[in-house]
Amino acid sequence: MAKVEAQPYEFELEPKRCALMVIDMQRDFVDRGGFGEALGNDVSLLRKAIGPTRTVLDAARARRMLVIHTREGHRPDLSDLPQNKKLRGRLKAGIGDPGPMGRILVRGEYGHDIVDELKPAAGEPVVDKPGKGAFYATDLDSLLRNRGIGQLVVCGVTTEVCVNTTVREANDRGYDCLVLEDCVGSYFPEFQKAALDMIKAQGGIFGWVSDSRRFLAAPANA
Ligand code: TIU
């Protein structure tokens, strides 16, 4: 067991039953010229999570932790896209429409895939999810339980949307989540802070918050 300094108190990490989850680090959310930027967002707020996430990813691989990547998106025929999600925002170019990097949030398109810096390694599961939470309508829970995983270290975007939804889903399913604050990003600085505060408040109501430096400082041979 390796103690990671965290809030509201230290996280007791057990590498053999802990997975790293990298949530939705997709070009369309993070890259310049993608869907997120086309909506008027400042993607630099998300891009600053790439470097620290890369160091955590390398460390997790070295520690032989399970690494799982997720991608938000839909089947090319959009049969798994609920009408409410399709219509929300009254966008000129929304989900399924042609976008700057291919059809927006459609599986198989360039913009839907994970950024080069955080490319999944061979054998690392990639979970394609139609919703904000990574457990909804996916086999994520089976992948984790079948490997005896009970803890998640969480990186990815966006902090208040897919990261928060996934952490809440995981917490209700019995997983302990450690969110690394420099490895998650929001287009809105005030939401970044609030979303992290919500996780660690009330004695860690949804989980723990730490950062890449503290994660890397924890003993690797625990
Ligand atoms: N992955 C994720 O967070 N999807 C979103 O749609 N996020 C927004 O903040 N819009």
Side-chain angles (χ1 to χ4, degrees), residues 6-9 11 23 152-156 158-171 175-181 184-185 191-210:
Q7 290 176 306
Y9 52 86
F11 185 85
I23 298 182
L152 303 175
V153 172
V154 183
C155 301
T158 64
T159 315
E160 78 279 15
V161 182
C162 292
V163 170
N164 236 269
T165 306
T166 299
V167 166
R168 290 168 187 231
E169 287 182 326
N171 186 58
Y175 299 93
D176 285 331
C177 294
L178 175 68
V179 179
L180 303 180
E181 65 182 16
V184 295
F191 291 170
Q192 171 80 358
K193 180 181 184 315
L196 294 168
D197 286 348
M198 283 178 199
I199 289 166
K200 67 189 179 190
Q202 303 187 64
I205 193 92
F206 297 123
W208 286 256
V209 175
S210 185

Side-chain angles (χ1 to χ4, degrees), residues 8-188:
Y9 52 86
E10 75 275 4
F11 185 85
E12 298 182 346
L13 192 145
E14 300 171 63
K16 285 195 179 66
R17 55 184 296 274
C18 184
L20 172 66
M21 289 214 46
V22 185
I23 298 182
D24 299 2
M25 291 299 281
Q26 294 161 257
R27 297 187 180 108
D28 253 335
F29 293 126
V30 170
D31 271 0
R32 301 213 165 78
F35 176 52
E37 192 174 67
L39 292 175
N41 295 303
D42 175 3
V43 292
S44 71
L45 295 169
L46 269 52
R47 295 192 64 73
K48 65 186 184 188
I50 295 175
T53 301
R54 181 60 211 240
T55 63
V56 168
L57 188 56
D58 290 343
R61 285 170 178 158
R63 292 174 193 195
R64 307 214 167 280
M65 283 169 55
L66 174 66
V67 177
I68 296 194
H69 306 260
T70 70
R71 298 183 296 203
E72 179 178 352
H74 298 275
R75 294 169 182 262
D77 66 2
L78 305 182
S79 56
D80 60 352
L81 175 62
Q83 273 297 100
N84 74 332
K85 189 173 180 185
K86 171 74 191 150
L87 299 176
R88 192 68 50 80
R90 297 177 172 171
L91 303 176
K92 259 220 290 263
I95 297 169
D97 297 329
M101 294 186 175
R103 291 179 67 204
I104 295 165
L105 295 189
V106 169
R107 294 174 193 160
E109 300 288 338
Y110 183 76
H112 170 264
D113 210 355
I114 293 167
V115 297
D116 292 335
E117 298 92 323
L118 302 174
K119 199 176 156 65
E124 292 175 353
V126 178
V127 172
D128 279 319
K129 63 192 191 57
K132 303 306 182 195
F135 288 85
Y136 171 68
T138 71
D139 57 4
L140 175 61
D141 195 49
S142 302
L143 294 185
L144 297 173
R145 283 188 204 282
N146 291 339
R147 289 171 168 85
I149 299 294
Q151 302 181 327
L152 303 175
V153 172
V154 183
C155 301
V157 297
T158 64
T159 315
E160 78 279 15
V161 182
C162 292
V163 170
N164 236 269
T165 306
T166 299
V167 166
R168 290 168 187 231
E169 287 182 326
N171 186 58
D172 278 346
R173 285 166 174 78
Y175 299 93
D176 285 331
C177 294
L178 175 68
V179 179
L180 303 180
E181 65 182 16
D182 54 338
C183 300
V184 295
S186 169
Y187 298 124
F188 307 93

